[in-house]
């Protein structure tokens, strides 16, 4: 009996120790998986990061769940991309009581514009991801000044990894013959990548996945693929693959694999972190375009 009591006490201690430790962490909400990963790298074990649009989710067309209101209400910091990506966020913040401190991770980045729309996919250039990280670092330091030094050290380490990643991308692209540096993606998510690294992307869908590609857009892409002899089209984890399969069949351009633009994968997938995502994309591009 005494032994039983001993184990019972141990069990109670173990069960209560965990939540106490978790509560000491700063609650941070990121609007989508890529920001969640950046926030985790900067926050380390000082933060508890919750992501609203999780792995393989489409942030363009997200409908907040009732539980999201509570996540925002409990957060010390809410991280958004901005540039018009999270159109659903203002109402969500309002319904949560509107007290959360918000940071726009793309702050100070000059947006690319397509007509009247800002292109929100700024994170696809690694140099821009550096700016995201410094904005997140500074915001964490403001809401949690006692840990500011820790956030700064984490950010420093992660920024060095991003610098190495940027060099890796440039080295990989240099292997692709310039005439082959053209690809088709489902939606127009790689404009910043294209501008930074010199690969041309053409997409039947615009900068949002909200509206479908028109028959005329698709016919235009097919003409371009044939005229420019574009070798490969790519699928996306957030988009229906049927359109790309059809374009591939009609033009003979092969499916070059999947590019991850707006969403990471789950832990066991090809792109569970931002760095994995960029590495996967350059591998897919170089293997489809090099020969
Ligand atoms: Zn997108």
């Amino acid at each position: 009996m005494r032994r039983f009591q001993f184990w019972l006490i141990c069990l109670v201690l173990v069960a209560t120790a965990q939540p106490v430790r978790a509560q000491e962490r700063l609650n941070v909400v990121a609007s989508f998986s890529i920001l969640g990963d950046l926030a985790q790298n900067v926050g380390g074990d000082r933060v508890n990061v919750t992501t609203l649009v999780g792995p393989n989710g489409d942030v363009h067309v997200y409908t907040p769940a009732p539980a999201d209101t509570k996540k925002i209400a409990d957060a010390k910091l809410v991280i958004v991309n901005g540039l018009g990506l999270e159109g659903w966020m203002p109402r969500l913040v309002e319904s949560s009581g509107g007290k959360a401190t918000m940071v726009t991770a793309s702050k100070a980045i000059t947006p690319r514009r397509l007509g009247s729309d800002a292109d929100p996919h700024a994170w696809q250039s690694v140099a821009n991801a550096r700016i995201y990280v410094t904005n997140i670092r500074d915001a964490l330091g403001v809401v949690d000044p006692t840990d500011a030094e820790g956030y700064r050290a984490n950010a420093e380490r992660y920024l060095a990894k991003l610098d190495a990643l940027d060099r890796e991308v440039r080295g990989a692209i240099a292997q692709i013959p310039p005439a082959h540096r053209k690809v088709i993606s489902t939606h127009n998510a790689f404009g910043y990548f294209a501008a930074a690294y010199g690969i041309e992307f053409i997409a039947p869908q615009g900068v949002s996945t909200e509206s479908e590609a028109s028959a005329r857009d698709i016919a235009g892409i097919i003409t371009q693929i044939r005229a420019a002899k574009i070798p490969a089209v790519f699928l996306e984890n957030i988009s229906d693959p049927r359109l790309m399969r059809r374009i591939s069949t009609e033009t003979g351009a092969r499916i070059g694999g999947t590019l991850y633009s707006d969403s990471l994968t789950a832990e066991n997938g090809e792109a569970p972190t931002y760095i994995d995502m960029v590495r996967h994309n350059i591998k897919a591009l170089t293997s489809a375009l090099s020969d």
Side-chain angles (χ1 to χ4, degrees):
M1 191 62 201
R2 194 166 282 172
R3 179 171 289 185
F4 174 71
Q5 281 173 339
F6 170 75
W7 285 115
L8 193 66
I9 289 166
C10 285
L11 194 69
V12 168
L13 286 175
V14 167
T16 53
Q18 288 305 99
V20 169
R21 209 178 301 150
Q23 265 172 13
E24 287 167 358
R25 295 185 179 193
L26 192 80
N27 280 335
V28 174
V29 168
S31 60
F32 72 116
S33 54
I34 293 168
L35 291 183
D37 178 53
L38 300 181
Q40 190 61 67
N41 275 288
V42 179
D45 54 13
R46 293 171 176 79
V47 296
N48 175 34
V49 178
T50 307
T51 293
L52 299 181
V53 185
N56 301 311
D58 184 351
V59 59
H60 292 292
V61 294
Y62 184 64
T63 306
D68 291 343
T69 308
K70 184 168 168 18
K71 289 179 189 166
I72 299 275
D74 291 346
K76 279 279 187 295
L77 181 67
V78 178
I79 304 170
V80 296
N81 181 75
L83 303 174
L85 184 65
E86 301 99 338
W88 41 268
M89 186 61 94
R91 265 181 67 187
L92 181 59
V93 169
E94 200 181 309
S95 65
S96 75
K99 292 194 198 78
T101 300
M102 303 260 285
V103 59
T104 301
S106 68
K107 194 170 62 186
I109 289 173
T110 309
R112 292 182 68 249
R113 294 211 160 267
L114 282 126
S116 58
D117 295 331
D119 177 353
H121 306 88
W123 62 85
Q124 282 295 344
S125 131
V126 179
N128 284 343
R130 289 188 105 261
I131 299 176
Y132 280 43
V133 167
T134 57
N135 285 330
I136 293 169
R137 174 200 65 195
D138 294 349
L140 283 171
V142 169
V143 295
D144 179 20
T146 52
D147 282 330
E149 194 48 42
Y151 298 132
R152 203 195 54 74
N154 289 347
E156 213 53 49
R157 271 195 299 275
Y158 188 65
L159 288 170
K161 288 186 192 173
L162 292 184
D163 288 339
L165 181 68
D166 190 63
R167 286 193 294 273
E168 211 178 305
V169 178
R170 291 176 194 285
I173 305 288
Q175 308 294 312
I176 303 172
H180 293 192
R181 293 178 193 168
K182 271 186 195 159
V183 288
I184 309 291
S185 65
T186 312
H187 86 293
N188 199 341
F190 291 94
Y192 294 88
F193 184 95
Y197 305 115
I199 286 203
E200 192 183 337
F201 281 80
I202 303 162
Q205 252 183 329
V207 289
S208 174
T209 55
E210 227 160 353
S211 46
E212 301 218 335
S214 69
R216 185 197 280 184
D217 294 333
I218 297 166
I221 291 280
I222 287 172
T223 308
Q224 270 181 293
I225 294 175
R226 287 183 178 142
K229 298 193 170 54
I230 295 173
V233 302
F234 286 87
L235 309 177
E236 292 175 352
N237 60 331
I238 61 162
S239 300
D240 187 330
R242 283 176 295 187
L243 174 59
M244 284 294 127
R245 293 202 192 283
R246 188 184 134 199
I247 290 174
S248 167
T249 308
E250 285 196 31
T251 59
R254 66 175 179 278
I255 305 272
T258 298
L259 291 178
Y260 297 92
S261 58
D262 299 21
S263 187
L264 301 177
T265 63
E267 201 54 53
N268 57 359
E270 291 178 314
T273 70
Y274 174 77
I275 289 177
D276 290 333
M277 174 187 87
V278 174
R279 282 212 176 111
H280 170 87
N281 287 348
I282 54 172
K283 227 167 96 187
L285 289 169
T286 47
S287 63
L289 304 178
S290 287
D291 45 51

